[in-house]
Amino acid sequence: MNWLWTSEAMVSAMGGRPVGDLPEGITGISIDSRSLEEGEAFFAIKGDRFDGHDFATAAMANGAGLLVVSEAKLPALGRLKVPMIVVDDVLKSLEKLGVASRKRSKAKFIAVTGSVGKTTTKEMLRQALEPSGKVHASVKSFNNHWGVPLTLARMPKDTEFGVFEIGMNHPGEIRPLVKLVRPHVAIITLIAAAHLGHFKNLNEIADAKAEIFEGVVRGGHALINRDDSRWKRLRNAAVEAGVQQVSGFGVHRQADFKMTKFEPAANGSHLRVKIDGKFIELLMGAPGRHIAQNALAVLGAVKLTGANMEKAVTALATFKAETGRGKQVVLKHPKGRMILIDESYNANPASMEAALDLLKSAPVTNRGRRIAVLGDMLELGSHSARLHAGLADAVAEANAQKVFLGGAEMHALSKNLPAGIRSEYRKEAGDLCDLVVKAVRPGDAIMIKSSNGVGFSKIVDALLKRYPPVEADA
């Protein structure tokens, strides 16, 4: 059996105490009893809302090979007849297992952070690197204090490329995580006003993101957006952290991975990239200049890790944006078709402007219109009203003929829109569902964008329910 971990190795790595007859090994690791598969180890992590120990019985019923539990919780679990590894702290033990996983691996590691584009860049890296070797990457947005060690601990020993997304809301959160990953290449996609409510200004955000350089292995690389206004600050931070090889990507004339041409298309884009004095023609399977920009970072990482560039370029041609992150769906209206651009997962000023730019290039047919459905951008603190109102120019430039706004913070934009733009404002996302569903018509392009907590995915779901997606081959 090809175990992810043998029980003996787990006990050794975590310094745990075995209880019961442990299996020879485990097939995987889970922290959610609902999605746990038979033969996996269940780590009973205590989170902000739930304590995994409360779901130990469910994990056992779903076929857990063993449980990793806290010594303090053991008396309450005494009746469970299932093998266990008992530890002082379950989360810290998961981190120890992640450290052991990193230590045993011979893979090339890439870590990605930034205010926008982390998850999409991570997924592009996964797709671009797969033709060159076995890739292990973060699931969804597993980029925090439990997501990163969990991703490390889940990594098979024979992985050839490890891709990790690292996020933060406050200073000091990236530092311990990147020191677990110890990447060969550290990428910062862009510095923007995300989580600005927890920082004084963008410089502080840049400094917090720059913590990613502190974990880069000796001889490793920093890969930074050369078009970012804080390029010099980030470059200097990388050098101060001991990274001797710093590269830039972008359209800047001094970029090492440079985009010399960008042509938008209905279902993607065409770009020309210059790397090491050579030009590469690249077709992207997902549209948007912001996607193309981050594709430069991906190609940079391919080059710096020694992966196959030609195969990576071919793989990116079939890349598609994920649900909530720019995924485009053709909807079937009784009298024709429409395009839905789903950007409902997250939002900050930079990603909002990128999404509106995407709407601008979206094709409309016959009497179709460009419709923007925009919700609150969260965690902007005292800057919120100014940054929401400041989106007015981007909305106008997107040629949006109709705008729906939802959320308390979006009231600032509703008062600042140009007079010629027809708009509807509601305080609650739910109050927009029927309005949007009834307003759309054949030929329209509808873009929905908000922070995840606002709940604009409800509007996406309402549209999908009323107007079913057209099959790809239809």
Side-chain angles (χ1 to χ4, degrees), residues 2-36:
N2 187 23
W3 304 113
L4 175 63
W5 289 97
T6 64
S7 294
E8 181 181 2
M10 288 183 70
V11 170
S12 176
M14 299 188 299
R17 178 170 65 85
V19 172
D21 188 12
L22 297 184
E24 182 181 348
I26 59 161
T27 56
I29 294 173
S30 176
I31 61 171
D32 188 338
S33 62
R34 297 167 299 179
S35 58
L36 180 144

Side-chain angles (χ1 to χ4, degrees), residues 344-347 376-378 428-429 450-458:
S344 60
Y345 185 79
N346 214 343
D376 285 354
M377 304 178 291
L378 302 180
E428 301 294 334
S450 72
S451 287
N452 192 38
V454 183
F456 267 39
S457 60
K458 297 175 185 176

Side-chain angles (χ1 to χ4, degrees), residues 48 113-115 118 143-145 166-178 191-212 214 378-381:
D48 296 331
T113 194
S115 302
K118 294 185 295 295
N143 62 18
N144 61 4
H145 64 289
I166 304 181
M168 65 90 191
N169 295 325
H170 299 83
E173 291 179 343
I174 288 178
R175 182 174 293 114
L177 300 180
V178 76
I191 302 301
H195 314 299
L196 189 56
H198 303 306
F199 298 87
K200 291 180 180 178
N201 50 46
L202 289 178
N203 283 340
E204 285 196 353
I205 293 178
D207 294 342
K209 296 294 185 184
E211 292 173 15
I212 197 170
E214 297 176 25
L378 302 180
E379 298 186 20
L380 296 179

